[in-house]
Amino acid sequence: MVVAIDGPAGSGKSTVTNIIGEKLGFTKVDTGATYRCLALKAIRNNVEKEEDLIELSKNLDIEITEDKKVFLDGQEVTLDIRTNEVSNRASFISNIVDVRKNLVELQRKMSVGKDVILEGRDTTTVVFPNAEIKIYLDATLEERANRRFRQNKELNIEVPYEEVYKSMEARDYNDMHKEFGALTKTENQIYIDTTNMTLEEVVDEITNIIEGEK
Ligand code: DC
């Protein structure tokens, strides 16, 4: 079974995917991590030109373990792919159409022959348009900025709320205006607005949807 979850930054995709993947024994595929790994490799190897980035995206060796550790070319990069520098580069790189095509192939290979739960921006539209379950997870920009602001505080990261809000707004725009693989709402997705929901409520709702489909 393929469960695909798309949504904007801060909508809770990662948290929800992790909990449900664990609970139901599904393999979790974090498609954003593939863009982040490519960005990290590009930074480490000083690769900047579009054609070189496309070439680099052809033979990436990425492994995501059940406990969410990420390995790139056999080396653990779980934390290295979460820096601001990598986030910014990943956002830029994810606009290149041929890079996306190569990474979509990779994401499909990572999912072959398994029960999977994928999360990203185009998993319901491009990666697995025929997934048994397709969900669009959403929340208002204010709520998502609030969540990220609180998360940062817990991690002792000092970024003013205004800045978190503005950068999330900019990421939304970029995610929704890509030439290929843009984050889009479609009639085939189940739309869940999590603005006024607790994490438990979201997890329960999606678990019920999956169990009803089994
Ligand atoms: O979800 P994330 O922040 O880890 O994603 C990293 C970057 O990759 C982000 O800029 C959005 C982009 N991305 C994408 O374009 N398509 C996906 N399916 C997943 C992520």
Side-chain angles (χ1 to χ4, degrees):
M1 180 185 267
V2 177
V3 178
I5 305 185
D6 288 329
S11 57
K13 296 183 305 285
S14 286
T15 315
V16 166
T17 301
N18 275 334
I19 297 174
I20 294 177
E22 285 298 312
K23 205 162 131 178
L24 302 181
F26 279 36
T27 297
K28 298 159 287 206
V29 179
D30 170 3
T31 60
T34 63
Y35 292 93
R36 289 176 177 275
C37 280
L38 176 61
L40 180 66
K41 192 160 181 172
I43 292 167
R44 287 185 172 167
N45 294 287
N46 292 318
V47 176
E48 287 187 356
K49 277 197 260 160
E50 197 167 306
E51 71 238 48
D52 297 337
L53 288 165
I54 294 167
E55 202 50 42
L56 202 63
S57 68
K58 281 185 187 156
N59 291 305
L60 281 181
D61 171 10
I62 298 172
E63 196 202 339
I64 306 177
T65 63
E66 282 304 306
D67 55 351
K68 286 281 280 183
K69 287 195 179 116
V70 182
F71 289 83
L72 170 63
D73 299 327
Q75 202 196 352
E76 192 181 346
V77 295
T78 314
L79 296 178
D80 308 72
I81 60 166
R82 302 285 156 195
T83 64
N84 249 343
E85 188 188 10
V86 170
S87 300
N88 292 337
R89 188 70 74 93
S91 174
F92 166 76
I93 280 178
S94 69
N95 291 328
I96 305 170
V97 175
D98 285 333
V99 162
R100 297 197 69 86
K101 289 186 176 160
N102 290 332
L103 292 190
V104 165
E105 274 313 303
L106 176 65
Q107 292 153 16
R108 287 181 184 144
K109 272 193 206 139
M110 291 164 90
S111 311
V112 161
K114 300 173 188 159
D115 283 328
V116 282
I117 180 160
L118 297 104
E119 51 131 332
R121 307 295 190 284
D122 62 346
T123 67
T124 62
T125 53
V126 178
V127 189
F128 285 111
N130 296 320
E132 282 85 349
I133 295 171
K134 297 191 279 277
I135 291 171
Y136 189 105
L137 213 57
D138 207 358
T140 60
L141 177 57
E142 287 72 18
E143 171 63 17
R144 291 183 288 113
N146 261 319
R147 289 177 190 170
R148 186 55 49 87
F149 181 71
R150 287 197 297 266
Q151 248 173 24
N152 284 348
K153 259 196 160 167
E154 277 162 27
L155 297 169
N156 281 327
I157 302 170
E158 288 287 324
V159 185
Y161 175 80
E162 269 305 301
E163 210 173 293
V164 174
Y165 182 97
K166 286 234 166 75
S167 87
M168 205 160 251
E169 196 175 31
R171 278 185 71 179
D172 282 358
Y173 185 88
N174 189 41
D175 286 343
M176 292 172 186
H177 292 85
K178 286 184 200 311
E179 189 184 339
F180 177 77
L183 173 65
T184 349
K185 284 180 206 154
T186 71
E187 292 199 337
N188 303 320
Q189 299 151 336
I190 298 166
Y191 180 83
I192 303 177
D193 181 353
T194 70
T195 307
N196 296 307
M197 289 171 83
T198 63
L199 177 59
E200 289 70 27
E201 287 170 338
V202 180
V203 168
D204 284 350
E205 180 161 346
I206 299 178
T207 306
N208 287 338
I209 295 169
I210 298 172
E211 304 223 294
E213 189 68 27
K214 267 183 177 174

